[in-house]
Amino acid sequence: LVVKIQGGGTKLLERLQPGTEVPVNGPLGKAVDIGEYASIGLLVRGVGSAAVTFLAKEAFNGGRRVEGFISANTSERLVCLDDLEAWSTKLHIATDDGSRGYQGNAADLLDSCLTEGGLDAVYTCGSKRFARYIDTLDSAGRTRGFVFLEGYMA
């Protein structure tokens, strides 16, 4: 369970001891379908990385090419890095401050990948900017785009 301490609800979760049972509702939303895509990209930022780790594992273990594009403000804020390294055919890292990988926007790295050989589909989570970018790519027919939505707890 990955929680970004943001508001009152997540502050309550932060106080819980490991092993404490917490009631949850779910599943919510629509299931993710990888379909027949032979290659997928995962464009993620911050805690949004946690949302795609299971998808990365399933796709990678299913023999698909998985290109991960992970970003954060600093290298210390890269979330689920070990998981995405394990379940990506290739992992691209971007940090705003340049402390690890490419200094700048991970979308630039994805754009280069799409130009060089493409991906059948790209999934994103963790950034409204990335969600808009994926929508633009999908609308332009450069790849199929899917957005994981996340929200703040009260």
Side-chain angles (χ1 to χ4, degrees):
L1 179 64
V2 177
V3 178
K4 180 179 181 181
I5 309 306
Q6 192 76 29
T10 53
K11 286 180 183 173
L12 290 172
L13 287 173
E14 181 184 36
R15 290 188 215 147
L16 297 175
Q17 295 299 313
T20 302
E21 290 189 22
V22 177
V24 295
N25 292 322
L28 304 173
K30 294 167 56 174
V32 175
D33 181 14
I34 302 174
E36 298 300 316
Y37 302 127
S39 62
I40 67 167
L42 305 170
L43 178 63
V44 295
R45 183 165 180 90
V47 295
S49 303
V52 302
T53 56
F54 183 75
L55 175 62
K57 181 180 180 181
E58 290 297 304
F60 186 80
N61 288 339
R64 291 172 171 86
R65 186 176 116 231
V66 177
E67 296 248 359
F69 301 86
I70 185 173
S71 69
N73 294 355
T74 67
S75 60
E76 294 81 27
R77 298 190 76 179
L78 292 166
V79 177
C80 298
L81 185 60
D82 292 341
D83 292 325
L84 290 175
E85 281 179 328
W87 299 319
S88 295
T89 309
K90 185 171 184 181
L91 184 63
H92 309 265
I93 300 171
T95 53
D96 296 346
D97 67 357
S99 56
R100 178 122 185 232
Y102 174 75
Q103 181 175 2
N105 191 337
D108 297 341
L109 300 173
L110 172 59
D111 193 64
S112 293
C113 179
L114 292 173
T115 300
E116 291 170 8
L119 294 164
D120 296 329
V122 178
Y123 300 81
T124 189
C125 186
S127 166
K128 290 179 184 175
R129 177 183 58 191
F130 284 171
R132 287 189 299 272
Y133 176 66
I134 295 302
D135 182 53
T136 301
L137 292 176
D138 188 89
S139 296
R142 293 188 67 198
T143 188
R144 289 297 320 269
F146 300 92
V147 177
F148 287 56
L149 299 176
E150 62 179 16
Y152 296 116
M153 295 176 63

